[in-house]
Amino acid sequence: MTQTRRDTSPTDRREILDKERHAEIVKLFKEQTQVERLAAARHGIWEAAVIYMAFSITDILLIADVAKTVILSRFLITVIGLLLIEGFFYLKVRSETFDITCALALVLSYFAWLYPASMTSQTDNFRYYMVFGSLFMMSANLFFGFNIKLSIVTSSCVLGLFFWSLSSLSVADNAYITAFGTFYVSCFMFTSYVSLRLNRERFQVYLNALEAKEQNREATERGKALLRLSNTDYLTGVDNRRAIDQRLRDSWNEWQNGSAGFAAILVDVDFFKKYNDFYGHQAGDHCLVLVANALKNALIPFNASLGRYGGEEFIVVAPLVNREDVTRLAEIIRKTVEDMALAHDQRKDGLSIVTVSVGAAFTREQLDARLEKLITEADRALYSAKANGRNCVRIFDPADPLTGDDNEHIAALLRVAISNNLISLVYQPILNVETGEIDAAEALMRLKLLDGSHVSPAVFIPIAERTGSILDIGLWSIRQACHDILVSDAAPTVSVNVSPIQLKIKGFAARVAEILAETGVEGHRRAFEITEGINMDRQSVVLSCLKDLEAMGIRIWLDDFGTGFAGLSWLRLFNFDTVKIDRSFLLNVETERGGALLKDIISLVRNRGHKILVEGIEMEEQLKLMQQLKIDYVQGYYLGHPSPLDSFKSRLLA
Ligand code: C2E
Ligand code: MG
Ligand code: MG
């Protein structure tokens, strides 16, 4: 075939191709129209059989002498024909075999009428009656849907039988033969021509239908492609916001209708603006593409979908419903990006690679369940991850003040807390163990709700950190503590808690310097307590801010030492004036193991040259132990509860 094609001209080749295509379409036509052609033929044969039998009446009227034989003959051929046709239909033979059987039945039924009828003695009547033979010809060409070859062969047989009967008909004179012969021949030509036209028409109709189907298919494909395009993020190729919103809505509705729940995981590229500004937008785009591809691959085993939510934020919708699974996937997402190790040395937090912060929430039974609420929860978790130094994972927990549910009004309250006097300070004495004097007071913040109740700083400080209110209330507490304790000389030193988030805010040290100048007290009378909450290795901004504060004479204390993983790295990176050992170390101090642990931690801190303060002294024995251990400072309920300035002062006087 290939050889033939190479030897032929382009026109010939096109013709060959056209012929091949035509043959293929004809084959397709035959295949695809099988069932309907079969049904039409079956239907036709039954109708024809009824009409054929109905002509028994004319048999009786016109050729009464042989009517019995003719009717019997009609009946036999009808029954055999129908039985055969039904049998074939049952056996599901091809429509071609079926058509041949119909054609055969047609010729035989003509013969079955013609032959016994020709035996009649009512020759005149029979001569007229012969005209009905043309009906068989019409049936072959027009009634059944035979292909052109079969219909011509069938009608030729009818024509042949007619001429055969003429020869055997003694009464057929020349005029009769001329008139009826011409009639039969013209009938044959006319109906064959119409049959040819019909056949072409049928094929054309099929072709048109085929074409329409093809056009329809193409239109559907085009529609699908358009839909794909309108649902795809142009840059990364993952779902765009529209598509992912729809997916979220679908998952939500399915969950509402009783299917399993899902998790919404927000993924935000850390310091992406800095990346864009430094490396350029093209590199920024490339970075997003790489992150999207890596995430897409990492998500394959989880049957999760990934979408770009806008800018540098992605969202993952995953069929996960318990905390452990969601945490695991969120951590895989974080790690996937970290492992890519894409350079980003503009982030100024010690790290020099591209990382992501991940916040997730998952469906849970609750009052007022709404999809928007779930997304807000994931968003809050993401904020919390960002507030905690980025490159980390947070899962929304309604009981957790970091991401909690009821805290929106606290956030709102914090914004107006200072102007509405909702915020205040209480002071807790810090005792110098050696001298027995109150050497300092720790300022602890309190927030009053509108109903007069107080909220624990453990709840509102993280909210203030998340929403940024910490800057204002933090500076306010520094100024206020300075005023309360130092200006009025209530204690030699005041310590104020400062969160690492405050230290990261640009210009914090300068604002502190302003307060120092404003209140006119020396820096060294002030201590800042920093909690070892975040990993110092990655926080070069925090470190340089601490150094600036230290340069102003402010003493830097490390708070809650021993509660986080980061304490040791903090000790390594910064020379703290005092280390406050967390009160949890006093819990089992009377046991051998607990006592040894406290001693170990004390000697570790002492060997590094820091002063030591132990928090949470609640009993006399604990104070005695501290004296034995030669601890520098102690603090706790035994020595004094945190109290408002007035009672703090009056107790000192007492
Ligand atoms: P912290 O700095 O470690 O403060 C000590 C906490 O222990 C205080 O809780 C205090 O009331 C409590 N405490 C003191 N002595 C004892 C004791 O003998 N036994 C027990 N069980 N507890 C004792 P508070 O006031 O609820 O503060 C909790 C945390 O909130 C503080 O821990 C600090 O990290 C943070 N915080 C408080 N005020 C501020 C602030 O003005 N700024 C910032 N950034 N954080 C603050
Ligand atoms: Mg403290
Ligand atoms: Mg503490």
Side-chain angles (χ1 to χ4, degrees):
M1 174 69 87
T2 334
Q3 189 60 43
T4 330
R5 280 198 185 160
R6 211 173 293 148
D7 296 343
T8 49
S9 73
T11 328
D12 291 346
R13 226 174 294 145
R14 206 173 313 121
E15 268 171 27
I16 292 171
L17 277 175
D18 281 351
K19 270 186 193 154
E20 279 176 7
R21 194 172 139 71
H22 184 80
E24 256 171 46
I25 294 177
V26 171
K27 205 172 141 208
L28 213 64
F29 169 66
K30 284 184 179 164
E31 286 302 321
Q32 293 188 346
T33 52
Q34 275 285 324
V35 177
E36 69 190 76
R37 281 193 297 146
L38 209 64
R42 186 183 178 213
H43 193 245
I45 201 90
W46 271 94
E47 279 180 6
V50 171
I51 296 167
Y52 184 62
M53 281 311 295
F55 270 97
S56 304
I57 300 168
T58 40
D59 290 342
I60 296 166
L61 293 176
L62 295 173
I63 43 172
D65 55 337
V66 292
K68 236 187 222 167
T69 327
V70 176
I71 293 170
L72 182 69
S73 171
R74 277 184 194 276
F75 182 73
L76 282 177
I77 198 79
T78 303
V79 170
I80 295 169
L82 287 178
L83 279 177
L84 263 179
I85 287 297
E86 284 304 309
F88 280 179
F89 190 77
Y90 180 75
L91 292 174
K92 293 197 171 62
V93 297
R94 294 188 57 80
S95 71
E96 286 76 18
T97 318
F98 208 81
D99 281 353
I100 291 172
T101 315
C102 288
L104 212 62
L106 196 78
V107 176
L108 286 177
S109 47
Y110 180 48
F111 181 73
W113 164 71
L114 192 63
Y115 185 68
S118 64
M119 306 290 178
T120 183
S121 53
Q122 293 173 281
T123 42
D124 260 356
N125 287 356
F126 180 59
R127 275 154 44 111
Y128 296 130
Y129 203 11
M130 281 279 277
V131 76
F132 287 100
S134 60
L135 284 180
F136 291 90
M137 198 181 287
M138 288 180 202
S139 300
N141 281 337
L142 308 177
F143 187 71
F144 290 98
F146 296 160
N147 67 45
I148 187 67
K149 273 187 208 150
L150 186 62
S151 72
I152 287 182
V153 169
T154 314
S155 50
S156 302
C157 289
V158 173
L159 189 66
L161 278 174
F162 169 73
F163 280 110
W164 166 79
S165 70
L166 280 188
S167 62
S168 61
L169 208 63
S170 51
V171 284
D173 52 35
N174 281 343
Y176 182 85
I177 293 173
T178 311
F180 270 71
T182 312
F183 170 72
Y184 261 75
V185 169
S186 44
C187 196
F188 168 77
M189 280 165 57
F190 177 72
T191 56
S192 296
Y193 174 72
V194 176
S195 169
L196 183 74
R197 292 283 304 270
L198 272 176
N199 260 290
R200 281 196 182 147
E201 204 101 308
R202 266 201 294 271
F203 188 59
Q204 197 56 47
V205 166
Y206 171 77
L207 276 188
N208 290 346
L210 203 67
E211 207 169 311
K213 215 158 106 185
E214 179 66 9
Q215 276 172 359
N216 208 10
R217 197 188 55 78
E218 277 173 14
T220 319
E221 283 296 308
R222 260 201 314 277
K224 275 190 195 154
L226 267 173
L227 193 69
R228 242 192 331 268
L229 213 64
S230 70
N231 281 336
T232 307
D233 175 52
Y234 69 96
L235 179 66
T236 59
V238 299
D239 281 354
N240 62 14
R241 175 135 196 176
R242 215 174 77 98
I244 206 77
D245 274 345
Q246 186 56 47
R247 203 174 291 268
L248 278 166
R249 270 196 299 279
D250 292 346
S251 306
W252 179 266
N253 292 339
E254 281 165 24
W255 178 62
Q256 293 279 300
N257 292 329
S259 301
F262 65 97
I265 306 173
L266 292 175
V267 183
D268 194 275
V269 181
D270 297 324
F271 300 105
F272 187 69
K273 192 179 169 325
K274 282 213 162 66
Y275 188 97
N276 249 345
D277 291 349
F278 183 74
Y279 294 101
H281 283 266
Q282 232 170 345
D285 285 354
H286 186 58
C287 168
L288 291 178
V289 171
L290 293 178
V291 169
N293 286 344
L295 292 183
K296 209 156 55 182
N297 288 336
L299 291 172
I300 293 171
F302 294 90
N303 188 25
S305 20
L306 172 70
R308 185 160 163 228
Y309 220 38
E312 72 273 27
E313 196 168 306
F314 294 92
I315 182 168
V316 174
V317 182
L320 302 174
V321 284
N322 73 59
R323 199 171 188 81
E324 292 71 47
D325 291 346
V326 178
T327 312
R328 197 164 63 90
L329 178 57
E331 185 51 34
I332 288 173
I333 290 172
R334 187 202 66 76
K335 184 104 189 358
T336 300
V337 179
E338 190 181 61
D339 288 350
M340 290 166 73
L342 297 172
H344 182 352
D345 43 28
Q346 292 299 303
R347 44 190 290 165
K348 307 229 185 315
D349 66 343
L351 269 188
S352 54
I353 53 167
V354 171
T355 60
V356 289
S357 299
V358 184
F362 53 94
T363 47
R364 65 195 149 86
E365 293 302 336
Q366 57 172 323
L367 285 173
D368 186 27
R370 272 176 300 120
L371 175 59
E372 294 71 27
K373 206 167 163 206
L374 179 79
I375 303 299
T376 313
E377 289 173 355
D379 210 34
R380 271 197 224 160
L382 177 64
Y383 261 112
S384 165
K386 293 247 167 217
N388 275 275
R390 298 181 164 91
N391 189 25
C392 64
V393 160
R394 284 288 179 278
I395 314 296
F396 177 81
D397 178 355
D400 176 0
L402 282 175
T403 58
D405 209 14
D406 313 318
N407 296 318
E408 276 317 283
H409 77 284
I410 294 184
L413 218 55
L414 280 167
R415 281 193 281 274
V416 295
I418 299 172
S419 52
N420 287 280
N421 285 329
L422 297 173
I423 211 125
S424 61
L425 289 176
V426 290
Y427 297 96
Q428 188 175 31
I430 293 173
L431 185 82
N432 183 323
V433 179
E434 203 188 335
T435 62
E437 301 276 315
I438 301 294
D439 256 12
E442 177 177 7
L444 294 158
M445 214 186 283
R446 295 290 177 262
L447 174 72
K448 194 167 68 178
L449 295 184
L450 295 173
D451 63 3
S453 62
H454 281 94
V455 192
S456 158
V459 172
F460 73 80
I461 294 291
I463 299 173
E465 288 176 346
R466 173 164 66 77
T467 56
S469 307
I470 193 72
L471 177 64
D472 288 338
I473 62 170
L475 288 171
W476 173 88
S477 76
I478 294 167
R479 182 181 287 112
Q480 191 65 32
C482 204
H483 230 273
D484 287 353
I485 302 293
L486 304 182
V487 174
S488 65
D489 233 352
T493 310
V494 69
S495 74
V496 183
N497 292 284
V498 174
S499 92
I501 304 289
Q502 286 169 272
L503 299 174
K504 278 202 229 172
I505 298 169
K506 228 173 145 206
F508 177 73
R511 303 287 293 274
V512 173
E514 280 170 26
I515 297 173
L516 283 188
E518 206 181 287
T519 47
V521 290
E522 307 94 323
H524 73 266
R525 292 187 62 195
R526 187 191 317 255
F528 280 180
E529 299 188 12
I530 319 292
T531 312
E532 47 149 271
I534 50 172
N535 195 343
M536 193 61 156
D537 280 339
R538 298 177 183 168
Q539 306 292 341
S540 51
V541 192
V542 171
L543 207 58
S544 70
C545 181
L546 284 181
K547 286 189 176 146
D548 289 347
L549 295 170
E550 194 184 33
M552 292 175 216
I554 296 169
R555 296 190 218 160
I556 310 295
W557 295 0
L558 182 58
D559 202 356
D560 301 341
F561 181 70
T563 51
F565 310 104
L568 287 174
S569 70
W570 279 75
L571 282 189
R572 186 165 46 81
L573 290 164
F574 190 80
N575 191 21
F576 291 95
D577 171 77
T578 300
V579 172
K580 294 181 79 171
I581 295 178
D582 190 69
R583 65 168 181 274
S584 54
F585 287 92
L586 290 180
L587 278 180
N588 297 314
V589 81
E590 64 289 347
T591 66
E592 199 183 323
R593 211 158 156 256
L597 189 65
L598 179 67
K599 280 176 199 152
D600 281 351
I601 204 146
I602 286 169
S603 63
L604 177 112
V605 177
R606 186 166 282 149
N607 288 343
R608 297 192 61 95
H610 308 285
K611 280 181 269 177
I612 299 176
L613 186 157
V614 176
E615 302 181 276
I617 305 292
E618 292 180 350
M619 289 172 288
E620 196 183 354
E621 303 82 71
Q622 289 173 333
L623 179 61
K624 284 200 177 126
L625 179 65
M626 297 304 120
Q627 286 163 339
Q628 282 168 23
L629 292 172
K630 299 211 175 331
I631 298 299
D632 303 287
Y633 304 104
V634 285
Q635 179 184 359
Y637 291 166
Y638 181 68
L639 307 152
H641 281 264
S643 55
L645 182 65
D646 290 345
S647 32
F648 176 79
K649 277 187 184 166
S650 53
R651 238 202 354 245
L652 284 184
L653 295 171

